[in-house]
Amino acid sequence: MARKEPAELSEFEKQRLANKVQRDNLVKQLALDAASAGLAPQSVKPQSKSSSSQKRQPAVKKLKVEAVPRRTSSRLAGLEADSELAKRKADDEYSAVQEVERAKRQRVSGDLNLSDVVVAGKEWDQKQNFFVDVVLRGAKPYERTFGDPEVKKTTDKELRALREKMSGLELYDGFEPNRIKITPERIYALGFHPTVDKALIFAGDKLGNLGIFDASQTAPHVKSEPIKAEAQDDEVKSSKRGRNLPWTGSSMKSKPKFKSEEQDEQDLDDSSDPNITSFHLHSRTISSFQFSPLNPSHLYTSSYDSSIRLLDLSKSTSTEVYAPLDSSLDEALSGVEVDSKSPHVLYFSRLDGCLGRTDTRSPGSPDIFQLSEKKIGGFSMHPGIPHFVATASLDRFMRVWDLRKMSGKTGMQVPHSVGEHESRLSVSHAAFNSAGQIATSSYDDTLKIYTFKGMSEWPAGKSLSEKEIQPSSIVRHNNQTGRWVTILRPQWQLYPQDSVQRFCIGNMNRFIDIYTSTGDQLAQLGDDSITAVPAVAQFHPRNDWVAGGTASGKLCLWM
């Protein structure tokens, strides 16, 4: 078939194509002219994706990994994969590991014989406590804020005499503070035995140990003697240089017969360790303790293991007097107080914001009062009027309660609230004295003193106005302890012989401060031999003795 010839263009199509070619040439010419004049648009390069423009992914939270048993080969054990025996074996191993972890935190119920829980011959490893001397924020070790210049400038004669008296307390010289390791771990609770004949100090630590130190003992001073060849004389000298082991008071009997002068000096240095007795009463931290007003040989201890124990020093036994009925409950206790009018009634505070009451004569279901939505760090009862209770909590409030009047529904009753005062930050402790005054410490770096007059005449249900609950004195004080130092708490001298109310509190610069009930500072006790913060401070109830405990378990004592 012949190919069809293309049709000839009309005049109109010819003119249209000519116009199109002319228009394209014009556009190209304009583009060339603009480029030569620098007016042409710049070519935009495709923007590469940068790491900063990409949306950042949120950080993946690290989940707490539970303790699981170590993986073992089922093939080597002769078990088929995915068999019932293999699954049962894995479940049994997991249950065993969980049970071990649970047993580590489980409190020990029942009576304890002190001979079974004594910590005998335990040597302290300084390497385990390398965080103690870390300089925390705001702390300036050994920098005094009160001393002799302030005492000499005092114009009030009575105040100056009192300042000279308290500033004149001397550091106990029987042993160096670094030698008196009263507990293996960080001290949380400290106190004196009520006796006035000698200083007998008790301390509770982080692991549930209770240490006892008798300050009537002194370090032996052994004079070096010429070394004789006779074995008998060497044996006598060796027994004289025998080192007293800490915690038990036992002595080492065997010594080399012949010694160099360096060995003699080393033996003499080792003999300066004091005799300290320590008992493991609780499985967790001993938060506080108090002696019974009826029997000074009875000591009540509270712990984070949810229990209260009675230590009978005369019978050498420790008896559990309170614990939750369900042993699996974790209701850590932050404090314990003995009712001065009814010594068989104990009050305790919990970290979940509750205040409890139990009678040791009829242990059963205790009375529990929910006083705060957050942790109650410390509480105290009026020494002479025990139905008044002061609490300090994490919600920044110091509250005063009257136990004579209850309010609320049955089963949810709480004591009557007399009044409350809010601080800028959390309140660590509230301590009552015998004059009806309350001292508190809080994380807003203040010590507050509240003065209430005529409390013995207050009717049940009395409420204080906002003006009446305001502190009478506010003292600036560094209370930023950080993680490695025990929280600073004010502690009153319960029965001062000169009737001048005063309290002590630890100082982050490695001192102990003493103040009056009006906020006047009386003394700042310290020494260059103190190498850590004596955060836990305590007065003897009657004598002018002050003790301080550190995070390394060391004891400082002024008398």
Side-chain angles (χ1 to χ4, degrees):
M1 182 175 180
R3 188 175 180 180
K4 186 178 182 180
E5 294 291 335
E8 187 178 357
L9 295 178
S10 64
E11 292 296 329
F12 175 78
E13 287 294 331
K14 292 179 180 180
Q15 184 62 38
R16 186 181 68 81
L17 292 175
N19 292 340
K20 182 180 178 182
V21 172
Q22 185 180 4
R23 185 172 61 251
D24 292 340
N25 293 334
L26 179 61
V27 171
K28 289 180 181 180
Q29 186 62 37
L30 290 175
L32 292 175
D33 294 342
S36 62
L39 300 177
Q42 300 292 331
S43 60
V44 180
K45 296 182 179 179
Q47 185 175 3
S48 62
K49 295 183 179 179
S50 61
S51 59
S52 60
S53 62
Q54 295 179 355
K55 186 177 181 181
R56 293 189 176 182
Q57 298 295 331
V60 179
K61 295 184 178 179
K62 294 183 179 179
L63 300 178
K64 186 177 180 181
V65 180
E66 296 185 2
V68 295
R70 185 175 180 177
R71 297 183 61 184
T72 57
S73 173
S74 298
R75 180 180 61 82
L76 296 178
L79 301 176
E80 295 182 3
D82 298 331
S83 67
E84 290 297 329
L85 290 177
K87 293 180 180 179
R88 191 179 303 112
K89 175 177 176 290
D91 292 341
D92 292 343
E93 291 179 351
Y94 180 79
S95 300
V97 172
Q98 293 298 318
E99 186 63 28
V100 171
E101 293 296 325
R102 191 181 302 109
K104 290 181 180 180
R105 299 176 62 86
Q106 184 69 29
R107 67 174 180 274
V108 180
S109 301
D111 296 349
L112 296 177
N113 193 323
L114 297 190
S115 61
D116 298 332
V117 295
V118 64
V119 183
K122 180 176 177 61
E123 294 289 343
W124 176 248
D125 185 6
Q126 184 66 25
K127 296 179 181 179
Q128 297 178 359
N129 204 32
F130 56 90
F131 281 113
V132 171
D133 291 330
V134 176
V135 179
L136 302 176
R137 54 176 178 171
K140 299 178 181 179
Y142 306 115
E143 181 176 314
R144 284 189 174 272
T145 57
F146 183 90
D148 291 338
E150 286 76 16
V151 175
K152 293 178 181 179
K153 293 178 182 179
T154 307
T155 56
D156 187 284
K157 293 183 179 180
E158 294 183 359
L159 179 59
R160 179 168 181 171
L162 189 57
R163 283 179 167 176
E164 291 176 347
K165 176 183 177 182
M166 299 308 299
S167 298
L169 296 179
E170 296 182 354
L171 185 69
Y172 170 70
D173 59 358
F175 297 89
E176 295 181 2
N178 285 337
R179 295 283 186 178
I180 313 176
K181 187 168 181 59
I182 191 170
T183 60
E185 278 288 343
R186 183 203 303 190
I187 296 176
Y188 272 74
L190 189 69
F192 285 88
H193 188 276
T195 181
V196 296
D197 299 329
K198 63 179 180 179
L200 193 60
I201 300 100
F202 292 70
D205 76 353
K206 180 180 180 180
L207 297 183
N209 300 302
L210 181 74
I212 306 175
F213 173 70
D214 183 359
S216 63
Q217 60 181 301
T218 55
H221 300 285
V222 182
K223 297 180 180 180
S224 64
E225 300 176 0
I227 300 178
K228 299 181 180 181
E230 291 79 11
Q232 183 178 2
D233 293 339
D234 288 330
E235 184 177 357
V236 172
K237 289 192 296 178
S238 179
S239 63
K240 287 183 180 180
R241 300 187 188 109
R243 175 184 176 183
N244 290 329
L245 290 176
W247 321 109
T248 60
S250 60
S251 303
M252 297 179 64
K253 295 182 179 179
S254 60
K255 292 285 182 179
K257 291 185 177 181
F258 301 98
K259 294 180 176 292
S260 64
E261 293 183 1
E262 294 181 356
Q263 289 175 324
D264 289 339
E265 293 177 358
Q266 181 65 32
D267 290 341
L268 181 60
D269 183 66
D270 291 344
S271 67
S272 59
D273 288 334
N275 292 330
I276 296 174
T277 304
S278 181
F279 304 104
H280 189 66
L281 302 183
H282 294 272
S283 61
R284 295 174 65 185
T285 303
I286 295 179
S287 55
S288 69
F289 57 79
Q290 188 176 26
F291 285 93
S292 169
L294 282 183
N295 190 342
S297 65
H298 286 180
L299 178 68
Y300 292 97
T301 59
S302 65
S303 171
Y304 285 0
D305 66 6
S306 310
S307 69
I308 299 176
R309 303 190 71 89
L310 169 60
L311 174 64
D312 192 330
L313 298 174
S314 60
K315 296 181 180 179
S316 297
T317 58
S318 175
T319 306
E320 184 178 85
V321 295
Y322 167 77
L325 298 178
D326 186 354
S327 60
S328 64
L329 292 178
D330 186 8
E331 298 174 346
L333 307 183
S334 60
V336 63
E337 290 269 345
V338 183
D339 192 324
S340 59
K341 301 295 183 181
S342 303
H344 296 287
V345 179
L346 304 179
Y347 289 84
F348 56 88
S349 59
R350 299 196 321 213
L351 297 186
D352 60 358
C354 291
L355 180 74
R357 176 174 58 191
T358 184
D359 194 326
T360 58
R361 295 168 298 182
S362 57
S365 180
D367 299 323
I368 303 296
F369 313 114
Q370 186 73 45
L371 302 185
S372 173
E373 294 181 358
K374 296 186 177 181
K375 159 187 168 182
I376 294 180
F379 85 104
S380 66
M381 307 177 70
H382 192 299
I385 318 173
H387 54 255
F388 289 115
V389 178
T391 61
S393 53
L394 191 63
D395 60 6
R396 303 177 298 176
F397 280 94
M398 185 284 298
R399 296 182 174 92
V400 181
W401 308 88
D402 189 347
L403 299 174
R404 294 174 297 176
K405 182 180 180 181
M406 297 289 172
S407 59
K409 299 180 181 179
T410 305
M412 301 180 62
Q413 291 185 331
V414 295
H416 172 71
S417 176
V418 178
E420 63 181 23
H421 181 261
E422 183 179 10
S423 296
R424 188 173 60 86
L425 294 175
S426 64
V427 186
S428 303
H429 187 56
F432 251 122
N433 67 6
S434 55
Q437 295 171 305
I438 300 175
T440 66
S441 58
S442 54
Y443 271 93
D444 59 3
D445 287 339
T446 62
L447 305 176
K448 300 182 182 68
I449 303 171
Y450 304 82
T451 302
F452 307 112
K453 297 181 179 179
M455 295 187 71
S456 59
E457 301 176 357
W458 286 3
K462 177 181 175 60
S463 298
L464 297 177
S465 64
E466 184 178 352
K467 182 179 180 180
E468 292 174 318
I469 199 69
Q470 293 297 315
S472 56
S473 300
I474 299 178
V475 179
R476 297 292 302 174
H477 193 271
N478 179 17
N479 298 326
Q480 306 300 323
T481 56
R483 181 179 180 182
W484 306 106
V485 177
T486 307
I487 295 174
L488 305 182
R489 300 183 177 189
Q491 300 290 351
W492 294 95
Q493 186 176 25
L494 291 181
Y495 310 107
Q497 296 180 359
D498 54 9
S499 300
V500 178
Q501 299 292 335
R502 46 183 171 262
F503 67 88
C504 62
I505 187 172
N507 185 304
M508 290 301 295
N509 292 358
R510 300 179 185 175
F511 299 100
I512 290 182
D513 295 328
I514 302 178
Y515 295 91
T516 66
S517 59
T518 57
D520 295 319
Q521 187 163 2
L522 298 179
Q524 192 168 78
L525 306 178
D527 191 82
D528 292 341
S529 61
I530 300 173
T531 58
V533 179
V536 186
Q538 186 63 264
F539 253 117
H540 185 276
R542 299 183 184 276
N543 293 347
D544 290 332
W545 299 338
V546 181
T550 70
S552 56
K554 305 292 181 62
L555 176 68
C556 315
L557 177 62
W558 288 268
M559 305 174 67

